[in-house]
C-alpha cells in the first residue's frame, strides 16, 4: 500500500460482533465487503474495514453524519445505505463491472439480497 495515505483509503464501517471487535453477522455488510474485495482484486481500490459497536460510533462516523451500518467514507464522500454504497463504488471504481448482460442471470439474482 505504499504511495497511499489515509485520504486515498476507503473505509468500510461494519457492525461489530458481541465482543465489540470482531465482524458481526450482517448480510448487508458482507455484501459490500464482497464487492470491495472483488474490485480490489482487479483494480487500484484500497480499503480498510472498521468494526463499530452498536451505540458507540467513532468520531469520524459521526462527523460525516452517518447513522446506519454498513457505511463507507472515501475522501469527502460518505454513504450509509447499501444502495448508495453500491452505486458509489460502481461510479468511483468501475472496473471490473458488476453488471451482467445475461438476462436469465439478472432475473435469477435480482432479489437475492432483498428482505
Amino acid at each position: 500500500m505504499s504511495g497511499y495515505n489515509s485520504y486515498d483509503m476507503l473505509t468500510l464501517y461494519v457492525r461489530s460482533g458481541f465482543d465489540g471487535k470482531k465482524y458481526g453477522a450482517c448480510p448487508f455488510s458482507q455484501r459490500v465487503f464482497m464487492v470491495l474485495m472483488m474490485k480490489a482484486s482487479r483494480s487500484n481500490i484500497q480499503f480498510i474495514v472498521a468494526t463499530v459497536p452498536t451505540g458507540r460510533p467513532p468520531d469520524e462516523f459521526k462527523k460525516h453524519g452517518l447513522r446506519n451500518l454498513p457505511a463507507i467514507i472515501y475522501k469527502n464522500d460518505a454513504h450509509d445505505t447499501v444502495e448508495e454504497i453500491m452505486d458509489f463504488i460502481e461510479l468511483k471504481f468501475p472496473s471490473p463491472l458488476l453488471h451482467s448482460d445475461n438476462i436469465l442471470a439478472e432475473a435469477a439474482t435480482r432479489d437475492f439480497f432483498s428482505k
Side-chain angles (χ1 to χ4, degrees), residues 7 17 24 26 31 44 53 57 63-64 75 89 109:
Y7 189 70
C26 173
R31 177 183 180 194
N44 63 351
K63 179 179 128 185
H64 282 87
K75 299 186 178 184
I89 292 169
T109 60

Side-chain angles (χ1 to χ4, degrees), residues 13-100:
Y13 292 93
V14 299
R15 182 170 286 114
S16 66
F18 69 92
D19 65 353
K21 296 177 184 174
K22 294 179 184 170
Y23 301 150
C26 173
F28 304 109
S29 296
Q30 292 168 359
R31 177 183 180 194
V32 174
F33 179 75
M34 286 188 295
V35 167
L36 287 171
M37 286 296 292
M38 189 188 83
K39 293 277 189 179
S41 72
R42 297 189 180 149
S43 69
N44 63 351
I45 183 174
Q46 299 287 320
F47 72 97
I48 57 172
V49 179
T51 57
V52 177
T54 306
R56 292 191 325 248
D59 291 337
E60 188 74 9
F61 192 84
K62 292 187 279 186
K63 179 179 128 185
H64 282 87
L66 298 171
R67 294 193 266 162
N68 302 307
L69 293 168
I72 61 167
I73 296 175
Y74 180 69
K75 299 186 178 184
N76 291 322
D77 293 307
H79 302 279
D80 66 353
T81 65
V82 174
E83 293 81 14
E84 287 179 3
I85 292 169
M86 300 304 278
D87 289 345
F88 177 80
I89 292 169
E90 278 297 298
L91 178 69
K92 290 291 184 182
F93 310 100
S95 179
L97 291 175
L98 296 179
H99 179 73
S100 170

